Amino acid sequence: MRIAPIFPLLLMVFCSLQTTKAQTAEPNLKWGKPTDTELKMTEYAADKEADVVELCRMVDVNYDWIANDFRVFYRVKCRLKVLKPEGKRVGNQVVSVHIGGVNRVEVLAGLKATTYNLENGKVVKTKMESSMVHEEMYDKTTKLIKFSVPQVREGSVIEYEYRVESPFYYDLHDWYAQKDFPVAYTKYDLERPEWFSFNLDQTGMALLEHRSGSQSRIFSGASINCVEDVFIGRDLPALKGDDFVWCAEDFGAKVTHELKGVYVPGVVHKNYTAKWEDIDKMLHNDDEFGGRIKKNSPLKDEIAAAGIPSISDPRERAVACWQLLKKKVRWNGNYAFWAKSGNKVLKEGTGSNADINFLYINMLHDAGVEANPVVLRLRNRGRLPMSHASLKYLSTFVVGIQEDDSTTTYMDASAEDGYLNVLPAELLTEMARVIRKDQQGKWVDLLKNTRSVENTTIQATLNGEGNISGNRATNYIGEAAASLRRKWRMAKDSIDLINDMQEKDGIEISQYQLDGRYDFSPTVREVISFTKKCTTAGDLIYLNPLVIIPQKNNPFTADTRNLPVEFPYSQREVVNVMLKLPEGWLVEEIPQSIVLKFEGITARIVIRQNGNMLQAQYKLDVDRTFFSQQQYQDLKNFIDKLVESNKQIITLKKKA
């Protein structure tokens, strides 16, 4: 969605405005002259493990009037200190610029970078050459400028600066104060004409200093009042993502913007504040989105020839359409919101998930199945803002298949390992919006009804030498099935997977079977034949009644955590063990049943003996996917207890 330039209409108002100079705030540091303290620094006191610290970063954003239109300028200056060899990574930097069409392109200029090193007590300064700067297209709307700062090593101080001129004055860049390394000082100074009204959101767990003011600035010989917001961060901790947080930047200190309106007394009063109902209409009326939904599929004749429209069950019709589509096109690994034409995608035989999903929606319509796009923001790109409706944060969509008036099934047609209602984890957002034809859109929670289930049965025999032999059969359902299929599809060598399983579970695998690996179904079944050696001592055998331990380690080892914990989806794991004991051996004591509970997580371990059969059941239900950093210690302690419970040992003694 583009906002047309309106400011040729405003030129007439400048002649009546007064002149005044803007006030700018400068940091208490001189550029181009790192101090002795910075040059000699060997560690950052607030984070002695840090390999890099950002000493100073200043981002100044202001508007100017050029060629009868506004432009917005971003001026960036940054100074970094490399503290450890691993910190050399910051010598490679990337700046992205937006391309919006002819004469609507952001331009980067004034790029400079310098490295300062101490050699024999003297400062050696090395400047970046133009040959160290490269450009490449990321996609049709984004160009990347990559540059490498020279002679970066442990102890180096790096400085770089640049400016970006943007015609997109209505769409400001978001500002992120925190990095994956600590930040000593950072400042964001935004100055804009008071005619521009923005939803300006400051979010994150770290506190920023904020001050606002107003002043006059000169535009084309006249002056108008400008609003200034300054945000300053000091001693901000590193924001390090891991496997248990989708988007660390969600929780970092940042400032986001969305244009609310342009208001010029007596000239223009245009409101851009959007409700989600407005976003629905924008997308319906956009030729490249709503227009695509209304088209017939290029595969319409093949759908009819295959008899798909005559299938009575709409769910089966949806499956048949997908199976036909899969033969024609494969996913290129990219998520997108906008798409190429269906004919082009089919000709190339590959496309983004948006390319494939638009084709799939058209096919479903041709097969007589109601289907709608369900727009969302990928989980690894952050949550949608809660304060206002925003089109710019939407990054992709999945397909909502209407089976009947009350049942909607969700699918990403590009997913190679999924199924109906089994989506890749990065698409399982709690805020997705169904864009419905001629109706108001509605919010749906794609995470709510998603679950990973593993049901395992172990049938084995223990002999008098302490050797266990038997079979383990596991049904993987839903997300668990998709995950297992993906693991096998991505594996370079199946032997390595088997070896990893043997090492992880402490077993020897003699036979492996995987049923349903290539099926379009919600289930995969894995069956292994295995042997395992128990610990023995004379007339004693020490046995873990679960045989193959479900939870051997706690993934949370840090004493503290600055970020919440996010699991990909709810989970259930059930293990039933039936172990035949050797004749002439007695179990000294059966452990008590264990029940552990914590905030939406329940674990149970029950062990029983019935004659010469030892039975054990392990059951874990994780019904909650988000835990705040304040709950981290309790969550860590719970999993510690769970791990210890998994390590229970019973003793078998040979009869005298």
Side-chain angles (χ1 to χ4, degrees), residues 605-624:
I605 299 177
V606 179
I607 302 168
R608 296 188 180 93
Q609 185 178 5
N610 184 9
N612 69 336
M613 294 296 296
L614 186 68
Q615 298 175 328
Q617 184 183 71
Y618 169 87
K619 188 175 183 181
L620 174 67
D621 283 296
V622 181
D623 295 319
R624 181 172 175 175

Side-chain angles (χ1 to χ4, degrees), residues 194-207:
E194 64 178 356
W195 299 336
F196 290 87
S197 178
F198 281 92
N199 288 305
L200 200 67
D201 287 344
Q202 175 194 343
T203 56
M205 297 183 293
L207 295 177

Side-chain angles (χ1 to χ4, degrees), residues 75 129 153 402 438 525:
R75 293 174 174 84
E129 302 291 338
R153 55 180 181 265
Q402 202 67 37
D438 301 327
R525 181 175 174 81

Side-chain angles (χ1 to χ4, degrees), residues 5 13 26 37 47 87 146 159 173 210-211 218 272 305 316 326 331 377 449 451 465 504 510 518 523 580 590 626:
V13 305
E26 298 293 336
T37 300
D47 183 355
K146 298 183 176 182
E159 286 186 348
H173 299 176
H210 178 211
R211 64 174 185 267
I218 304 300
Y272 290 117
E316 293 303 317
K326 188 180 181 183
W331 184 40
R377 192 180 193 192
N449 296 317
R451 197 166 180 82
E465 286 72 45
K504 171 180 172 290
S510 57
Y518 301 105
T523 305
K580 185 177 181 180
I590 297 293
F626 182 91

Side-chain angles (χ1 to χ4, degrees), residues 70-129:
F70 271 109
R71 295 285 191 276
V72 62
F73 287 84
Y74 303 85
R75 293 174 174 84
V76 177
K77 288 186 174 182
C78 183
R79 176 180 291 146
L80 297 149
K81 173 69 179 185
V82 179
L83 298 169
K84 296 181 180 180
E86 299 80 7
K88 292 189 298 181
R89 58 194 169 93
V90 296
N92 297 312
Q93 295 286 333
V94 180
V95 181
S96 62
V97 295
H98 184 60
I99 300 171
V102 179
N103 299 323
R104 307 292 290 172
V105 177
E106 291 184 335
V107 178
L108 182 142
L111 176 60
K112 301 176 184 177
T114 306
T115 304
Y116 301 87
N117 288 304
L118 274 180
E119 296 182 6
N120 299 321
K122 294 183 179 181
V123 180
V124 176
K125 182 168 66 173
T126 309
K127 294 184 178 181
M128 181 179 68
E129 302 291 338

Side-chain angles (χ1 to χ4, degrees), residues 24-41:
T24 56
E26 298 293 336
N28 189 25
L29 289 171
K30 291 184 178 180
W31 216 252
K33 294 183 178 180
T35 65
D36 287 343
T37 300
E38 292 171 333
L39 289 165
K40 295 177 181 178
M41 180 189 297

Side-chain angles (χ1 to χ4, degrees), residues 574-631:
V574 179
V575 179
N576 287 296
V577 180
M578 289 172 284
L579 180 64
K580 185 177 181 180
L581 302 177
E583 293 292 337
W585 290 77
L586 300 174
V587 177
E588 288 196 336
E589 184 179 0
I590 297 293
Q592 294 290 322
S593 297
I594 295 174
V595 178
L596 302 173
K597 292 185 178 182
F598 171 71
E599 299 288 341
I601 306 179
T602 303
R604 292 181 175 86
I605 299 177
V606 179
I607 302 168
R608 296 188 180 93
Q609 185 178 5
N610 184 9
N612 69 336
M613 294 296 296
L614 186 68
Q615 298 175 328
Q617 184 183 71
Y618 169 87
K619 188 175 183 181
L620 174 67
D621 283 296
V622 181
D623 295 319
R624 181 172 175 175
T625 60
F626 182 91
F627 297 87
S628 70
Q629 62 272 29
Q630 289 81 12
Q631 295 173 304

Side-chain angles (χ1 to χ4, degrees), residues 47-67:
D47 183 355
K48 295 184 179 181
E49 299 300 317
D51 58 356
V52 177
V53 59
E54 189 172 85
L55 299 171
C56 175
R57 184 178 183 87
M58 296 177 289
V59 179
D60 295 309
V61 183
N62 55 54
Y63 283 71
D64 207 344
W65 178 264
I66 299 173

